[in-house]
Structure formats: C-alpha cells, structure tokens
Amino acid sequence: MEADAVQDFRRRLKYFFMNPCEKYRARGRRPWKLALQIVKIVLISAQLVSFGLSNEMVVTFTEENLMTLRHLFLKGYEDQRQRSYAVYTKADVYEHIGHVVSRYVHLPKLTLGNLDYERLDGAQAPLLVCQVLYSNSSIDPENETFHLDPHVDTDCISINPPHSIHNDSLLSELSLDFRRLLSVNIYLSLKTINLQTVRHHELPDCYDFHIMIVFDNRAHSGRIKVSVESNVRIYQCRNWDVEGSSEENDYMLVSFDAGVIVACFVSLVLCTRSVISGVRLQFEFHAFFLTHYHKSVTWSERMEFVNGWCILIIVSDTLTIAGSALKIGIQTKFLTNYDVCSILLGTATMLVWVGVIRYLGFFKKYNILILTLRAALPNVVRFCCCAAMIYLGYCFCGWIVLGPYHDKFRTLGKVTACLFSLINGDDMYGTFLKMRDKSYVVWLFSRLYLYSYICFFIYLVLSLFIALITDTYETIKHHQPDKSPVSQLQVFMGESGDQPESEGFQGDGEPASCCLPSCCSG
C-alpha cells in the first residue's frame, strides 16, 4: 500500500508539471484556459492600439499648440532644437515682455487656432507679470562688495485683456532690478478645443493651457534664457452637439474595456489559484520527503513549484485591470491621466507578449531560448554587477573632469547616456571631436579616458558578456537532450515511467493539487 501511495504522489507531481497538451492526452482536459490567454492577448493588443491612436492625437495637439504659443509670444522665435532662446540687454527684456503682453491682449485677432481667454467669475482672466528677486540686497562688482539676503520676494502686476497697454505704460509700472533679479515669470491661461477627434468618432475635448513664460536670470551671467512652460488640463466640454453623432461609440468602447477587465480578472483568479496550489504541493512534497526518505528539500527545488509564468500573468493582469479602469475614466471624461494609463497598458501588453514565449517553449526546438535565458541569467547578473562598478567609476570621473569642457559630460545623466552609446559604437568620432582644447592637460586626459573606456568595455566587457550567453547556449544545444535530472524532484518524478496516455492518469477524478488552470501549469 505504501508503494501505491508513493506511485500516486509521483503521478500527481508529474501531472502538475505537464503542459496543457500533455494534460489533454492524460485526462482529456480541453485547454480552454489556454484559449482564454490567447483571446486575452488579442483583446489587450486591440485595446492598446485604440488607446494609442487617441493618445497620439492628444500629444500631437498639445505639442503643436505649445509650438504655436512659442511663436506667438516669443519675439523673433524660430524652431531651434539645439540653441536656446535668450536675450542679452535690459532693453531686450522690456521689449520682449511688452511683446508678450501685446500679443496676449490681441490674441483672438492674431491666432489661427481656437485659442481664447479663460474666464474667472464671468470676467476674462488677467495676465500676471511677476518678478522674483533677492530681498534687501546690494551688489557692487566695481568695488568687489555685496550684501545679499537669500530670502526671495515676488512682485506682480496684473493686466486685463480688454484694456490695451502700451510698452511705455508697462515700463512705468514694471521696474526690474537686474542685479537682484532671479526671474521674470509671466502667467496666462488660455482655452481651446481639440476638434480632430471628431474624424475618429470621438467627442472633442476641451483644453486649459496654463502658460508660464520664464525669463531665467538665476545665473546672473548677462544671458537671460527665455522658455515657455505649459500645464495642460483636459476635460469634457460643458455643452456640445455634433450632428449625426451619438453616444453609441462611447458605450461600445467602454463595454470593450469592461470585457477586457472581466477576462483579466478571470485569468488573475485562475493563476492566483495555481500559485497557491503550487505552494501547497511544495509543502506536501517537503513533508513527503522528510517522512519517506528522511531528506530535506532544497530551496531551489521548492521554487520549482512556483511557476514564474503565473507570476508574470498575475502582474500583467493587475496592470491591465488598473489601466483599463483608468482608460474608462478617460473615455468618459472623468479622468485625464494619459501618462499613467499609457504606462500601465504599455507595460501590461509588453508582459503579455513576453509570456507568449512560454507557449513556444512547449516545442523542443523553440524551448532552447527559454533554457538558455534561465541558465545564463545568474552568471549574467553577477557579471553585470561587477561591470557596473567599473562603469559607474568612469561615469563619475567623466562628469567631474570632462563636464566643464564637453557638452555630453555636462550632467551625470548625459554621461551615463553617452558612455552607454559608446559601448555600442554610436557617435564615437563626434565625442572625440567635440572635446574643447582650452586645457591641454584635460584634453590629454580625455583621450586617455575615452580610449581606455572604449577598449575595456567594447573589446573586453562586451565580448565576455556575449561569451557567457554563447557558452550557455552551446552547452544546452549539445548536451541538453542527454542531460539527466539533477534535482531530487526531477529524479523522483523520473522514476515513474507513466506517459500522459497511460492508464495511471485516467482516473475518474483529478487530484486536489491538479486543479490548476492549464494556462498556468507547466
């Protein structure tokens, strides 16, 4: 009887680690839960495409309006990618501030778009011109003396759009102390409507653009940088009427998103149940080995019962449910968190498609990729940790030494991006060429620095990284078919010669530990 109990438990373990095809041959279980995963992939991908098209229109509309505002309010502005917009004289500062005010007062007559003023309590919102400056400070470079109070004061004047104002009157109201001045901030609010969504059977959204034009003088270098910053709020228009349109399309999209949530929730419950059942079977296997063989099961053998693909699906389903709920809020105009929704849905879709590799692993010829990644991952992680220490050393060194002389090393973020690009051979000559030769010592150091980094990381680190994966791949490719089980769990299950079609798996009922969904077992 004890031998029969051992054999039955061995079959339960073997059945637990079968894939859906083997379970179908063993007990005739149709892989309908596997079909659920396939349908879910299609639904999530379609949902992402639908949201991506809507998000693309929102981003395009916002960026083009911001570009329009730059051309409207910045005098002589041209589309510049590398050079920043700046002024250099006091007269230019007053002239540009006056230009902003004049354009704002006459905005409805100038703009080609649907821009108009925001209203507060029935009146048009005023334009605010605020100067931010040090309080109670005196600076005299000629005598090399200064008295500085680090506290900051803000002084604002308000300008109402209906009343035109000339530059002369503005200059009389606004007096700037450039030696104490930190910045001049101009605040204005505009409204517009995104009509292009009508062509895609979506209701237009209303937009609030809260604009801040900043004259930045914090460096006190004689160069005041001018920038336009925008905070956009999207909401449902108060009163709308589109001929020939109905709310049927909105209901269909909301119903589709609700269907995705239901499918992901079912998948989440099934995979959670699978993980719980695997943990229970793991404890049972540990107790069984202690009782019958007086051996303890290692932690790595216990982790074999925790299906990583199930965890992946659980995370993906959770992100999809949260992203779909947020998308419904956006669709019904209650929410406007496009960025958060994009992150949730994009990450969920990525994980779903990565999970497809698991089903390709059912075929031996495709399974070699999964086996290679699983076997090489520990060595790759250890190798990357060692290489990261050297990489960070080069980053800090390049930032502090080359930063004042090279644009690509000006900030720590730029250094990390530049050095990572050099590993792949991107823009290598340009990095050498743009090094300023004001200091011969620094110029010579930059050559030694870049040559040593490129030689070390491209010829040594990158080659060793590729060699780790290649060696693992060759090992699995040539020896995996003849490889014998190495863990106690694999040895224990291998002692059973029962195949999925054998009578040992053709019982009337399934074991308690085998109630796992076919989509998550394996």
Side-chain angles (χ1 to χ4, degrees):
M1 294 297 294
E2 184 177 354
D4 294 339
V6 173
Q7 187 65 16
D8 290 340
F9 185 68
R10 185 179 286 115
R11 290 196 186 100
R12 290 176 58 188
L13 291 175
K14 200 167 186 178
Y15 185 84
F16 174 81
F17 288 99
M18 286 182 182
N19 61 50
C21 299
E22 293 174 340
K23 286 186 176 181
Y24 177 75
R25 294 198 302 268
R27 293 188 180 274
R29 285 182 52 179
R30 298 184 182 277
W32 61 271
K33 300 182 183 83
L34 171 61
L36 173 63
Q37 296 297 320
I38 298 176
V39 172
K40 193 183 72 174
I41 291 174
V42 176
L43 293 177
I44 292 177
S45 300
Q47 181 192 47
L48 185 71
V49 171
S50 174
F51 178 76
L53 294 175
S54 299
N55 192 31
E56 181 181 350
M57 289 187 292
V58 172
V59 173
T60 301
F61 182 77
T62 304
E63 290 182 349
E64 290 184 356
N65 272 274
L66 186 58
M67 181 60 66
T68 299
L69 294 173
R70 291 194 182 102
H71 281 274
L72 283 175
F73 294 111
L74 300 185
K75 185 178 180 180
Y77 179 82
E78 297 180 358
D79 295 339
Q80 303 176 19
R81 297 184 179 273
Q82 300 295 335
R83 295 176 298 172
S84 59
Y85 186 87
V87 292
Y88 298 90
T89 65
K90 297 179 181 180
D92 286 341
V93 174
Y94 286 111
E95 184 178 357
H96 281 72
I97 295 176
H99 178 79
V100 173
V101 175
S102 176
R103 286 298 181 97
Y104 181 70
V105 170
H106 302 94
L107 180 67
K109 299 179 182 179
L110 296 174
T111 180
L112 298 174
N114 296 318
L115 292 170
D116 209 335
Y117 303 116
E118 184 181 20
R119 289 186 174 271
L120 298 175
D121 299 328
Q124 293 179 352
L127 177 144
L128 296 177
V129 180
C130 301
Q131 59 171 323
V132 182
L133 66 167
Y134 291 118
S135 60
N136 300 324
S137 302
S138 61
I139 302 173
D140 189 359
E142 181 180 359
N143 296 324
E144 301 178 356
T145 61
F146 67 90
H147 171 71
L148 186 64
D149 186 351
H151 295 89
V152 174
D153 292 335
T154 301
D155 184 20
C156 298
I157 62 173
S158 176
I159 300 173
N160 295 316
H163 305 289
S164 179
I165 184 169
H166 298 288
N167 288 348
D168 295 337
S169 59
L170 175 63
L171 295 177
S172 63
E173 294 187 31
L174 182 65
S175 178
L176 303 177
D177 187 351
F178 288 94
R179 293 193 174 182
R180 295 190 296 134
L181 183 68
L182 291 173
S183 67
V184 177
N185 302 330
I186 303 177
Y187 301 93
L188 53 97
S189 298
L190 301 173
K191 304 173 75 70
T192 185
I193 302 176
N194 185 4
L195 298 178
Q196 64 176 332
T197 56
V198 175
R199 295 184 290 106
H200 298 271
H201 307 289
E202 295 184 18
L203 293 178
D205 292 321
C206 286
Y207 288 69
D208 279 349
F209 284 91
H210 299 282
I211 310 300
M212 182 174 68
I213 302 175
V214 181
F215 292 77
D216 187 2
N217 191 42
R218 290 175 297 178
H220 289 88
S221 60
R223 181 176 185 266
I224 297 181
K225 294 180 290 185
V226 186
S227 62
V228 178
E229 301 176 5
S230 175
N231 183 22
V232 183
R233 186 174 71 92
I234 307 172
Y235 57 94
Q236 185 178 15
C237 298
R238 297 178 182 177
N239 188 11
W240 59 271
D241 182 17
V242 181
E243 294 185 3
S245 66
S246 64
E247 297 182 355
E248 182 179 355
N249 291 327
D250 290 338
Y251 289 143
M252 291 179 61
L253 289 175
V254 172
S255 300
F256 178 78
D257 294 331
V260 174
I261 292 177
V262 172
C264 291
F265 181 76
V266 174
S267 174
L268 177 64
V269 171
L270 293 176
C271 290
T272 303
R273 188 184 68 172
S274 175
V275 172
I276 295 174
S277 300
V279 172
R280 290 176 179 174
L281 187 59
Q282 175 257 131
F283 284 110
E284 188 176 351
F285 174 71
H286 179 64
F288 179 86
F289 248 67
L290 286 178
T291 303
H292 290 78
Y293 297 98
H294 304 289
K295 294 181 180 180
S296 178
V297 181
T298 63
W299 177 254
S300 60
E301 292 171 344
R302 289 190 176 192
M303 291 302 297
E304 293 186 40
F305 288 89
V306 181
N307 196 319
W309 298 109
C310 274
I311 304 298
L312 183 70
I313 294 175
I314 290 173
V315 174
S316 172
D317 290 338
T318 303
L319 295 177
T320 303
I321 292 173
S324 299
L326 193 58
K327 183 175 181 292
I328 292 176
I330 294 174
Q331 189 67 34
T332 55
K333 310 305 179 186
F334 287 105
L335 300 171
T336 57
N337 297 326
Y338 280 90
D339 294 335
V340 178
C341 187
S342 300
I343 293 173
L344 293 175
L345 293 182
T347 306
T349 306
M350 178 187 68
L351 295 179
V352 166
W353 279 100
V354 170
V356 175
I357 299 177
R358 188 253 176 178
Y359 303 112
L360 295 177
F362 295 154
F363 306 96
K364 293 183 179 180
K365 292 185 178 180
Y366 295 95
N367 194 39
I368 191 169
L369 173 61
I370 301 176
L371 295 177
T372 302
L373 293 176
R374 183 186 303 173
L377 184 61
N379 292 331
V380 168
V381 171
R382 287 190 290 266
F383 180 81
C384 289
C385 289
C386 296
M389 300 300 103
I390 305 174
Y391 180 79
L392 290 175
Y394 270 93
C395 288
F396 287 116
C397 179
W399 176 42
I400 196 66
V401 177
L402 304 183
Y405 303 94
H406 202 300
D407 293 337
K408 292 185 178 181
F409 293 83
R410 188 62 49 84
T411 64
L412 191 59
K414 290 182 178 181
V415 174
T416 55
C418 176
L419 294 184
F420 188 80
S421 299
L422 288 178
I423 295 178
N424 299 283
D426 296 340
D427 200 20
M428 193 174 298
Y429 178 72
T431 304
F432 280 92
L433 188 64
K434 293 180 181 179
M435 182 63 197
R436 301 174 185 173
D437 54 357
K438 292 184 178 180
S439 173
Y440 179 76
V441 176
V442 177
W443 180 88
L444 181 60
F445 176 85
S446 69
R447 265 45 189 174
L448 297 175
Y449 172 86
L450 292 174
Y451 280 125
S452 63
Y453 174 82
I454 291 172
C455 293
F456 184 80
F457 272 87
I458 292 182
Y459 302 138
L460 182 61
V461 175
L462 190 60
S463 298
L464 289 176
F465 182 84
I466 297 174
L468 282 176
I469 301 177
T470 304
D471 182 65
T472 305
Y473 172 78
E474 293 295 334
T475 302
I476 293 177
K477 179 180 178 181
H478 295 292
H479 302 289
Q480 195 270 338
D482 302 327
K483 191 176 180 180
S484 59
V486 293
S487 66
Q488 298 181 85
L489 174 62
Q490 293 172 337
V491 172
F492 181 73
M493 291 190 301
E495 292 176 357
S496 173
D498 295 336
Q499 299 299 321
E501 299 84 357
S502 63
E503 296 180 356
F505 295 103
Q506 305 299 325
D508 294 333
E510 293 180 1
S513 298
C514 298
C515 60
L516 310 176
S518 297
C519 64
C520 295
S521 62

